[in-house]
Amino acid sequence: MFCEKAIEIIRELHRMGDGQLPAFNEDGIRQVLEEMKALYEQNQSDVNEAKSEGKSELIPTIKFRHCCLLRNQRCVTAYLYDRLLRIRALRWEYGSVLPTNIRFHMCAEELEWFNQYKKSLATFMRSLGGEEGLDITQDMKPPKSLYIEVRCLKDHGEFEIDDGTIILLKKNSQHFLPRWKCEQLIRQGVLEHIMS
Amino acid sequence: MSDALSNDHDASDMSGGDDGQEDVMTPSELIGKLEEAWLNEKFSPELLENKSERVECVMEQLTHMEANLQRVRKGDMKASVHRMEIDRIRYVLSSYLRSRLKKIEKFFPHVLEKEKSRAEGDTSFLSPEEFAFAKEYLANTETYLKAVALKHMPPNLQTVDMLKAVPEPCLDSFVFLRVRARQENILVEPETDDQREYVVDLDEGSQHLMRYRTIAPLVSSGAVQLI
């Protein structure tokens, strides 16, 4: 039956919940496009026949094929658009550099879309306020406490906090530090916030 | 908490922008207004008017506070309290801007259409930067769809009408609101065929759960606050 492949690729995407991005189903898309090409060509020849030989009984078939074409177009665009939404979410979760295993699941055009999206977002954030802008991909949660428990992931040497005390950041050491001092280091991957 | 700000700052007056649309406000009033805009934007199903002057003022305020914080004696108790306040304000501001961006992306063709068809004097729903972002988002998405699929489709199916394809905001969703200024004779449209339209009065300070569409103009005028 027509449009089955189109539904199948959507179902496959739908099955991966939680915003995960499965590999780009290039094969599936290609099959749907081929089906569309075949339907269209059949319609073309039928339309010509109906016009030249007045065979109006072909018209219901033509209409039916046209509906299948529209459905295929709709399914394909829905599949692609849903993937874009998932990719967009990745920028907000992982930052501007995507992990390699996720990048493998994206086709070239999706990577291009991601790059453009990153650029647009960066331009927008830079334009906020007067000078350097505001990174709105940070501060995702309301600040709850002044001090947080952190674990050191790599050796970072000495670290001075506001009251003058110097902390030695050695790998695997744990500290109770002011949150604002740690944010930069957490983002860099030097410290890890421990949530109890 | 925001009162702690006024003691430390030289500029306790915040006059917004050059068009003077916003009256001179104290820092705590400014933050209060930011929080109102934040809540409204968070709970409204559609994109509300942009408040870029407020955003700019708040950012100025934050820069000011950061600078002041550098001058405070290290280890002073006040420093951590101020720090927390800066982080809180930055969170509200970021969250506000994120809400707007999310809605712009979600409803991008409709947002752009609305902006195109608004009259000369009406306030814009998008700041110039948001407008640029929305246009880029549209162009980016269209380019992508064309490159991956549409150009391989039959000639009569190579375009997608974005206005039809992307759903519109659901203005009939229910929202919680608190009334700030008494409203009389608000017309509530029927939802089903066997209901009839009726009229309500909204008393100041009362809280309600209503369809957004009914009270949308009251949100923009400031008569109600979404909660």
Side-chain angles (χ1 to χ4, degrees):
Chain A
M1 201 53 244
F2 299 126
C3 305
E4 263 179 19
K5 192 68 194 174
I7 303 286
E8 193 188 306
I9 61 176
I10 290 191
R11 236 187 246 129
E12 177 207 337
L13 187 63
H14 194 63
R15 230 177 274 135
M16 296 275 262
D18 263 357
Q20 282 177 71
L21 190 73
F24 186 74
N25 195 341
E26 189 160 353
D27 207 43
I29 300 272
R30 197 179 38 82
Q31 284 181 40
V32 178
L33 290 173
E34 276 170 10
E35 183 183 285
M36 288 180 78
K37 182 157 180 271
L39 283 169
Y40 182 71
E41 283 168 359
Q42 285 166 357
N43 257 6
Q44 286 286 75
S45 71
D46 274 5
V47 162
N48 286 335
E49 227 183 287
K51 270 204 211 139
S52 56
E53 293 167 44
K55 282 199 189 158
S56 55
E57 66 267 20
L58 288 173
I59 295 189
T61 326
I62 294 172
K63 284 199 180 154
F64 170 71
R65 285 202 204 99
H66 187 67
C67 285
C68 293
L69 281 167
L70 288 173
R71 186 154 176 73
N72 273 336
Q73 186 207 45
R74 187 173 173 179
C75 288
V76 166
T77 22
Y79 173 79
L80 295 172
Y81 189 67
D82 194 72
R83 283 181 67 88
L84 281 190
L85 294 181
R86 295 182 196 209
I87 292 171
R88 178 253 183 214
L90 292 174
R91 166 65 186 88
W92 289 84
E93 192 181 325
Y94 287 99
S96 346
V97 181
L98 292 179
T100 16
N101 58 327
I102 293 187
R103 270 214 303 269
F104 278 146
H105 285 182
M106 293 164 60
C107 69
E109 291 85 0
E110 285 177 336
L111 283 166
E112 179 57 31
W113 187 91
F114 181 76
N115 285 335
Q116 289 291 46
Y117 178 72
K118 263 196 317 189
K119 256 191 248 168
S120 285
L121 186 61
T123 313
F124 174 73
M125 294 198 291
R126 229 177 302 127
S127 73
L128 297 169
E131 306 160 7
E132 324 159 334
L134 180 70
D135 186 353
I136 57 177
T137 64
Q138 303 300 323
D139 303 302
M140 295 296 273
K141 294 207 169 66
K144 277 229 158 85
S145 56
L146 287 173
Y147 283 74
I148 50 171
E149 203 50 51
V150 289
R151 184 184 296 121
C152 199
L153 298 172
K154 345 181 170 152
D155 279 326
H156 191 73
E158 292 182 343
F159 185 55
E160 184 181 342
I161 52 176
D162 285 339
D163 59 4
T165 352
I166 299 187
I167 311 263
L168 180 63
L169 293 179
K170 212 164 135 65
K171 184 167 175 183
N172 287 328
S173 59
Q174 273 182 221
H175 308 277
F176 191 59
L177 297 174
R179 192 172 37 75
W180 62 92
K181 274 270 176 223
C182 305
E183 260 166 15
Q184 175 83 318
L185 293 172
I186 291 177
R187 265 183 254 145
Q188 288 170 356
V190 174
L191 293 178
E192 177 192 21
H193 184 184
I194 306 172
M195 328 242 199
S196 44
Chain B
M1 236 240 210
S2 287
D3 298 326
L5 291 175
S6 337
N7 298 333
D8 278 309
H9 295 156
D10 318 315
S12 52
D13 288 341
M14 295 258 111
S15 40
D18 1 58
D19 43 12
Q21 266 180 11
E22 311 239 310
D23 299 321
V24 168
M25 280 191 267
T26 63
S28 54
E29 284 174 355
L30 173 68
I31 302 304
K33 285 250 171 275
L34 172 69
E35 287 181 2
E36 285 170 13
W38 170 58
L39 289 173
N40 276 342
E41 196 71 66
K42 195 167 178 203
F43 297 121
S44 145
E46 64 172 352
L47 189 70
L48 299 174
E49 269 171 37
N50 93 86
K51 306 272 182 210
S52 40
E53 296 131 26
R54 244 177 247 183
V55 170
E56 267 171 39
C57 287
V58 173
M59 292 226 41
E60 260 176 52
Q61 178 75 319
L62 280 175
T63 323
H64 214 114
M65 288 169 79
E66 294 264 6
N68 274 355
L69 209 55
Q70 299 301 329
R71 295 200 304 232
V72 167
R73 200 189 60 216
K74 293 235 184 289
D76 191 352
M77 180 56 194
K78 274 201 290 189
S80 12
V81 172
H82 279 276
R83 181 87 248 169
M84 189 65 157
E85 175 140 34
I86 292 178
D87 286 345
R88 281 214 174 108
I89 295 173
R90 211 178 42 234
Y91 168 74
V92 172
L93 184 61
S94 297
S95 183
Y96 170 67
L97 293 166
R98 279 195 295 264
S99 282
R100 287 185 63 84
L101 219 58
K102 207 154 75 176
K103 280 189 228 175
I104 290 173
E105 290 174 2
K106 193 165 178 193
F107 305 123
F108 64 98
H110 307 286
V111 163
L112 285 169
E113 187 63 31
K114 199 169 177 187
E115 188 65 16
K116 255 195 286 196
S117 52
R118 81 176 162 94
E120 257 312 302
D122 286 349
T123 30
S124 174
F125 279 79
L126 302 171
S127 70
E129 297 80 18
E130 287 172 340
F131 185 50
F133 179 83
K135 277 196 295 197
E136 285 168 18
Y137 192 80
L138 172 70
N140 197 12
T141 309
E142 281 187 333
T143 309
Y144 165 75
L145 288 174
K146 255 194 212 87
V148 178
L150 292 177
K151 74 171 185 219
H152 301 295
M153 290 192 183
N156 60 334
L157 287 169
Q158 287 191 355
T159 49
V160 172
D161 184 356
M162 289 296 189
L163 282 170
K164 284 214 209 93
V166 176
E168 280 185 335
C170 177
L171 299 178
D172 288 316
S173 32
F174 279 80
V175 289
F176 282 96
L177 57 110
R178 185 187 309 123
V179 181
R180 281 218 227 108
R182 181 179 163 77
Q183 302 296 315
E184 302 198 337
N185 296 331
I186 303 295
L187 184 67
V188 180
E189 305 272 330
E191 284 172 70
T192 60
D193 287 332
D194 35 334
Q195 285 179 350
R196 294 180 56 223
E197 57 184 27
Y198 59 94
V199 159
V200 289
D201 288 340
L202 301 176
D203 292 319
E204 187 177 326
S206 59
Q207 293 176 170
H208 303 269
L209 174 63
M210 297 174 84
R211 256 176 300 147
Y212 176 76
R213 197 190 291 272
T214 319
I215 46 96
L218 301 178
V219 176
S220 29
S221 71
V224 308
Q225 167 75 46
L226 296 182
I227 52 175

